[in-house]
Amino acid sequence: MLEGYFPFWKQLSPAWQAALEQAAERRTYEKGTALHRGGQDCIGLLIVESGQLRVYALSDEGREITLYRLLERDICLFSASCILRGMQCDVFVEAASDVRLIHIPAGIYQKLMEESAPAANFTGELMADRFSNVMWLLDQVLFKRMDARLAAFLLEESDLGGRPVHLTHEAVARHLGTAREVVSRMLKHLENEGALQLSRGDIRIADREKLNRLAAGSIR
């Protein structure tokens, strides 16, 4: 079950391989299910077999912003934040679609990192990559225009979820960490410019090249 997900698998002893396989459990969740609820929650490591997870932050006022999304074969570390030294952050994880996951309890993975240098190195590299994503987002929020971020988001969502984009204005606002009114105003402007076609619950890209030009610098 796990060999294809961990590059250090063949460096583990047969005993550790067996222990991890025995501890791992397949789970399925429906779209919208909350899987991790901040720093006090530590359910363990989550590996995405199919579907998509959304990792997001939540302000004191209740405003959300998507930090990044995890797709097939990605590993969620923030759901096991209690095993990472110095990790104190309220990050939330939800199922962005119906998902099938492999769950590894936090305790056994923490012990694995203590006894296996390759596992610890892999985890450190993965965490560095996740923080790189967060720093990229911080740069976008601080220094990029909202219309460019919106255009980039719609292009990415179209590539991930198909066309048209089946999201309400409120859902788009939650991803971008802004108000629904701001998103609605910008979507209407882009429709007037011929870049989008809007209908209830759907956003259709009418001119992809125009969106690409607007999104320059905000596409990962």
Side-chain angles (χ1 to χ4, degrees), residues 2-38:
L2 298 175
E3 182 175 1
Y5 295 100
F6 293 129
F8 56 82
W9 184 259
K10 291 183 178 179
Q11 296 174 269
L12 297 178
S13 67
W16 259 116
Q17 291 178 356
L20 287 172
E21 290 283 9
Q22 184 175 2
E25 177 186 6
R26 279 193 170 94
R27 298 182 178 182
T28 58
Y29 297 94
E30 294 182 350
K31 180 179 179 179
T33 303
L35 304 180
H36 177 71
R37 300 176 179 84

Side-chain angles (χ1 to χ4, degrees), residues 32-74:
T33 303
L35 304 180
H36 177 71
R37 300 176 179 84
Q40 302 305 311
D41 194 7
C42 189
I43 63 173
L45 211 68
L46 300 176
I47 303 172
V48 182
E49 279 200 304
S50 65
Q52 182 184 142
L53 298 181
R54 173 181 174 238
V55 181
Y56 66 98
L58 184 66
S59 73
D60 292 339
E61 296 76 25
R63 180 170 294 177
E64 300 176 9
I65 183 170
T66 299
L67 301 178
Y68 53 85
R69 285 175 283 188
L70 298 172
L71 309 177
E72 185 177 332
R73 303 189 65 81
D74 283 337

